[in-house]
Amino acid sequence: MSGERTMTGPRLDLENGRIEMIHGNGGRASAKLVEEILLPAFDNEWLHPLGDQARFDLPGGRFAMTTDSYVISPLFFPGGDIGSLAVHGTVNDLAMGGAQPLYLTTGFILEEGFPLSDLVRIVRSMAMAAKNCGAALVAGDTKVVERGKGDGIYINTAGIGQIPDGLTLDPSGISPGDVLLISGTIGDHGAAVLAAREGFRLASTLRSDSAPLHSLVQTMMNSGPGLVCLRDPTRGGVASTLNEWARTSGLPIEIREEGIPVREEVRGVSELLGIDPLYLANEGKLLAVCRPEAADRILSAMKTHPLGYEAARIGMVGKDSSRIPVGGVLMKTLMGGTRMVDWLLGDPLPRIC
Amino acid sequence: MSGERTMTGPRLDLENGRIEMIHGNGGRASAKLVEEILLPAFDNEWLHPLGDQARFDLPGGRFAMTTDSYVISPLFFPGGDIGSLAVHGTVNDLAMGGAQPLYLTTGFILEEGFPLSDLVRIVRSMAMAAKNCGAALVAGDTKVVERGKGDGIYINTAGIGQIPDGLTLDPSGISPGDVLLISGTIGDHGAAVLAAREGFRLASTLRSDSAPLHSLVQTMMNSGPGLVCLRDPTRGGVASTLNEWARTSGLPIEIREEGIPVREEVRGVSELLGIDPLYLANEGKLLAVCRPEAADRILSAMKTHPLGYEAARIGMVGKDSSRIPVGGVLMKTLMGGTRMVDWLLGDPLPRIC
């Protein structure tokens, strides 16, 4: 469950409140749902780190386990579909904990009337994606709901992976001076899906970046020590991941807008929709925190990988200072000014994954 | 993915066909969906046994992994709710492979407008159920869909459990002469949910049997050897499990109606709805195949457990003979006659789990 430990703002109304679309946007409202309802019920030592994967010991070593449901609309989009996305998303959540994906499960919720030809296309895409990740899809389940009680198909995937001996990737290790890296351009998935949904013409060159990141992570780890933690900035985008890290570490994070790679087409769609690319979902990118002395080496290693050739240094972790509020994210803009990068507040971008 | 290896009847129309409610009933239509769409795409050595859980080796031993989505309507019913059901169901799928549940994940799909108070009630019920099973809920995910694209809440759970060294519970071991045991009365869950849905008055004494079966399985295994395989007869009921075993083993299965425990109220609701209790879902019962010489001992052990005190011997595995078609299930009725117990064909009972 992604979220954070302490939230500000008014508490949820647990007596009369209702689920709103904004609870699904990956920003502050989603985090409140996790903090005020799910965590108090499920609180345990594994869930507490609030990463995208749980980590635990089994007799033979250390393992990571994760789950995600996929409710994306449309089901097919440039660069992928709900099937490949459901595999990549879970593989990536494992990879962000340093785990090599091993076994996946999947659960389908099918709406009455859903075309079998679409189901065939989706499960073939899933199978191909799993094969490309070296992960086996070992168990599954299928449920059917009445017309009007679903939206074609919803897919859940869960996965387990093994973490190499001695490896600890954890945001609790973030320290002042650490360097922030991004593996490539941001916002491609969110922009492609929104454009496909709105039917934008200019969108013809936009493609989701949906891809499995485990081998890029392997390449980074093989380059040597100094990696502190990883996260794939999906729902809520780069801004949400940075805010979670800033809050977890209690340190300010400073980024430079000019260092952040954004495709022209993504910038165009973002301007049309009035959305900052920092809040757009990514499905084949990772953010990394690494020690300053390791940053150049890890960045060079990333650039040798097909999924990291546009990797860039985007900022650093600051010292506790009065210039930036503790736990805040500050961006030096292209115009030379500085502004706070807040959590995604309103403006839900739902059904993006 | 529950189902079977070879199905008869016309093939699905993969070009123009659509999902129908019957594909969710746990009977022949569900099995066809698995066989003609999912298996061809995902075929691998772990999925092939088609049990309710996948089994694989990790460095430290043998493990089972499983998943299920829950779309039950109504969400709250006598004897349980979608939350406890989602935990028990996955714990039971692990237990049927002889695995002790360790870690669970959960994914929520919430519909816009769903009351937060219901969500609180459900997650508390899940947490309590997981605690009672000794399993930790270690990772989760929350998605929100628009009003009219869901039905309040759908829950997926996945789980991993460890299988004791040397234990193999597998329907491929079924042999002529083996004995069939049931752990208690059948149809309680299906009858309770259907009655709650229809608003039957007489239903006031009906309760779902939703319960975790891992400790009953432990009790059975502790009694000594001779256990061949286990299955919890959920969607599709006892009839579907027996048909799957008959087909897997290529042997006839003979049961006696008078040996099968059914509550009076369940019989009443079944008659009102025109449904045979053999096809009603169970969520806290197991069917066991055991060696003839071990049957009495295992049955006695079951009766010492709170979830097995009404356990009964209901039949046996026959020899390949001309009297019963290979892979068929024959029942000696209360009236003294015999009849075939077929797969659930039409009459979908959807949204039962």
Side-chain angles (χ1 to χ4, degrees):
Chain A
M1 299 182 183
S2 64
E4 38 156 12
R5 230 156 291 189
T6 52
M7 296 293 304
T8 51
R11 295 185 67 83
L12 290 173
D13 178 354
L14 299 188
E15 261 181 57
N16 302 304
R18 291 181 176 271
I19 290 291
E20 298 165 33
M21 290 308 295
I22 196 175
H23 290 123
N25 74 356
R28 198 185 285 268
S30 304
K32 282 182 79 73
L33 198 68
V34 169
E35 191 201 346
E36 296 184 26
I37 296 186
L38 303 179
L39 270 192
F42 296 136
D43 203 19
N44 63 48
E45 61 186 298
W46 302 276
L47 198 56
H48 226 73
L50 284 173
D52 274 342
Q53 78 294 124
R55 284 171 278 186
F56 46 77
D57 290 314
L58 290 177
R62 192 148 180 79
F63 291 82
M65 194 170 175
T66 188
T67 191
D68 261 317
S69 297
Y70 297 84
V71 299
I72 191 167
S73 172
L75 299 175
F76 303 95
F77 47 85
D81 57 61
I82 189 173
S84 53
L85 186 69
V87 170
H88 295 157
T90 287
V91 162
N92 289 348
D93 280 348
L94 293 174
M96 296 307 107
Q100 202 61 21
L102 293 170
Y103 299 106
L104 306 179
T105 63
T106 184
F108 298 99
I109 297 177
L110 304 170
E111 186 191 10
E112 183 184 15
F114 187 63
L116 295 182
S117 55
D118 283 351
L119 181 59
V120 169
R121 203 173 144 196
I122 288 165
V123 298
R124 283 188 188 152
S125 168
M126 288 186 83
M128 176 78 78
K131 195 177 170 193
N132 289 343
C133 299
L137 229 154
V138 296
D141 174 58
T142 307
K143 292 293 189 309
V144 178
V145 295
E146 297 90 350
R147 210 180 289 264
K149 302 287 185 190
D151 197 12
I153 183 171
Y154 297 143
I155 301 180
N156 176 282
T157 48
I160 188 165
Q162 186 159 16
I163 301 172
D165 279 345
L167 177 70
T168 306
L169 297 178
D170 201 296
S172 64
I174 296 175
S175 307
D178 283 351
V179 172
L180 286 158
L181 307 176
I182 182 91
S183 65
T185 56
I186 70 167
D188 297 69
H189 176 76
V193 172
L194 286 173
R197 209 188 285 172
E198 307 287 337
F200 286 167
R201 292 261 174 88
L202 96 168
S204 60
T205 56
L206 279 173
R207 284 175 65 84
S208 165
D209 57 351
S210 178
L213 293 165
H214 61 292
S215 93
L216 173 61
V217 173
Q218 199 66 50
T219 300
M220 294 165 73
M221 295 194 302
N222 288 347
S223 84
L227 204 53
V228 177
C229 63
L230 298 169
R231 191 80 176 256
D232 54 335
T234 55
R235 252 192 318 182
V238 167
S240 297
T241 297
L242 294 180
N243 270 282
E244 285 184 29
W245 281 348
R247 198 173 287 260
T248 301
S249 65
L251 293 167
I253 286 181
E254 305 172 65
I255 57 174
R256 289 177 310 109
E257 189 170 14
E258 69 171 352
I260 303 172
V262 187
R263 275 186 220 299
E264 257 333 297
E265 311 92 289
V266 171
R267 212 182 287 279
V269 167
S270 301
E271 279 171 14
L272 268 173
L273 295 170
I275 298 169
D276 187 329
L278 284 170
Y279 295 95
L280 285 176
N282 308 273
E283 293 289 347
K285 296 293 164 13
L286 62 81
L287 275 166
V289 178
C290 57
R291 300 297 180 218
E293 66 277 12
D296 283 338
R297 173 175 38 79
I298 292 175
L299 185 60
S300 299
M302 290 168 83
K303 286 174 179 284
T304 66
H305 193 281
L307 294 176
Y309 71 99
E310 291 176 295
R313 178 193 290 242
I314 63 165
M316 63 174 291
V317 179
K319 288 194 178 62
D320 191 354
S321 78
S322 57
R323 199 164 61 90
I324 309 180
V326 166
V329 178
L330 196 79
M331 183 164 76
K332 189 165 280 179
T333 66
L334 287 171
M335 317 297 285
T338 55
R339 69 169 175 92
M340 292 299 300
V341 177
D342 202 355
W343 289 81
L344 181 57
L345 287 170
D347 219 349
L349 300 174
R351 313 287 302 276
I352 209 79
C353 60
Chain B
M1 295 179 187
S2 64
E4 38 155 15
R5 228 155 292 190
T6 53
M7 296 294 304
T8 50
R11 294 184 67 83
L12 290 173
D13 178 354
L14 299 188
E15 262 181 57
N16 302 305
R18 290 180 177 271
I19 290 291
E20 298 165 34
M21 288 309 295
I22 196 174
H23 290 122
N25 74 355
R28 199 185 285 270
S30 303
K32 282 182 79 73
L33 197 67
V34 170
E35 191 199 348
E36 296 183 28
I37 296 186
L38 303 179
L39 270 192
F42 296 135
D43 203 18
N44 63 48
E45 61 186 297
W46 301 276
L47 198 58
H48 226 74
L50 284 174
D52 274 340
Q53 79 292 123
R55 284 170 279 187
F56 46 77
D57 291 313
L58 290 178
R62 193 149 179 77
F63 291 82
M65 195 171 173
T66 187
T67 191
D68 260 318
S69 297
Y70 297 84
V71 299
I72 192 167
S73 172
L75 300 175
F76 302 95
F77 47 83
D81 57 60
I82 190 173
S84 53
L85 185 71
V87 170
H88 295 157
T90 287
V91 163
N92 289 347
D93 281 348
L94 294 173
M96 296 306 108
Q100 203 62 21
L102 294 170
Y103 299 105
L104 306 179
T105 63
T106 184
F108 298 99
I109 298 177
L110 304 170
E111 186 191 11
E112 183 185 14
F114 187 62
L116 294 182
S117 55
D118 284 352
L119 180 60
V120 169
R121 201 172 146 197
I122 288 166
V123 299
R124 283 187 188 155
S125 167
M126 288 186 83
M128 175 80 76
K131 195 177 171 192
N132 289 342
C133 299
L137 231 154
V138 296
D141 175 57
T142 306
K143 292 293 189 309
V144 178
V145 295
E146 298 89 350
R147 211 180 288 265
K149 301 290 186 190
D151 197 11
I153 183 171
Y154 297 143
I155 301 180
N156 177 282
T157 49
I160 188 164
Q162 187 160 15
I163 302 172
D165 278 346
L167 177 71
T168 307
L169 298 177
D170 202 295
S172 64
I174 295 175
S175 306
D178 283 350
V179 172
L180 286 158
L181 307 176
I182 182 92
S183 64
T185 55
I186 70 168
D188 298 69
H189 177 76
V193 172
L194 286 174
R197 207 187 288 171
E198 306 288 338
F200 287 168
R201 294 261 174 88
L202 96 166
S204 59
T205 56
L206 280 173
R207 282 176 67 82
S208 166
D209 57 350
S210 178
L213 293 165
H214 61 292
S215 94
L216 173 61
V217 173
Q218 199 66 49
T219 300
M220 294 166 72
M221 294 194 303
N222 288 348
S223 84
L227 204 53
V228 178
C229 63
L230 298 169
R231 190 80 178 254
D232 55 335
T234 55
R235 250 191 321 182
V238 168
S240 297
T241 297
L242 294 179
N243 269 284
E244 285 184 29
W245 281 348
R247 196 175 289 258
T248 302
S249 65
L251 293 167
I253 285 180
E254 304 172 65
I255 57 174
R256 288 176 311 109
E257 189 170 14
E258 68 172 352
I260 303 173
V262 188
R263 276 187 219 295
E264 257 332 298
E265 310 91 288
V266 171
R267 212 182 287 280
V269 167
S270 301
E271 278 171 15
L272 269 173
L273 295 170
I275 297 168
D276 188 328
L278 284 169
Y279 295 94
L280 285 176
N282 309 273
E283 294 289 346
K285 297 292 165 13
L286 61 80
L287 276 165
V289 178
C290 57
R291 299 299 180 217
E293 66 277 11
D296 284 337
R297 173 176 39 79
I298 293 175
L299 185 59
S300 299
M302 291 168 82
K303 285 173 180 285
T304 66
H305 192 281
L307 294 176
Y309 70 100
E310 291 177 297
R313 177 192 291 243
I314 63 165
M316 62 175 291
V317 179
K319 288 195 178 61
D320 191 355
S321 77
S322 57
R323 199 161 62 88
I324 310 179
V326 166
V329 179
L330 197 79
M331 182 165 77
K332 190 166 279 179
T333 67
L334 286 172
M335 317 296 285
T338 56
R339 69 170 175 90
M340 292 300 299
V341 177
D342 201 355
W343 289 81
L344 180 58
L345 287 170
D347 219 347
L349 299 175
R351 313 286 303 273
I352 209 78
C353 60

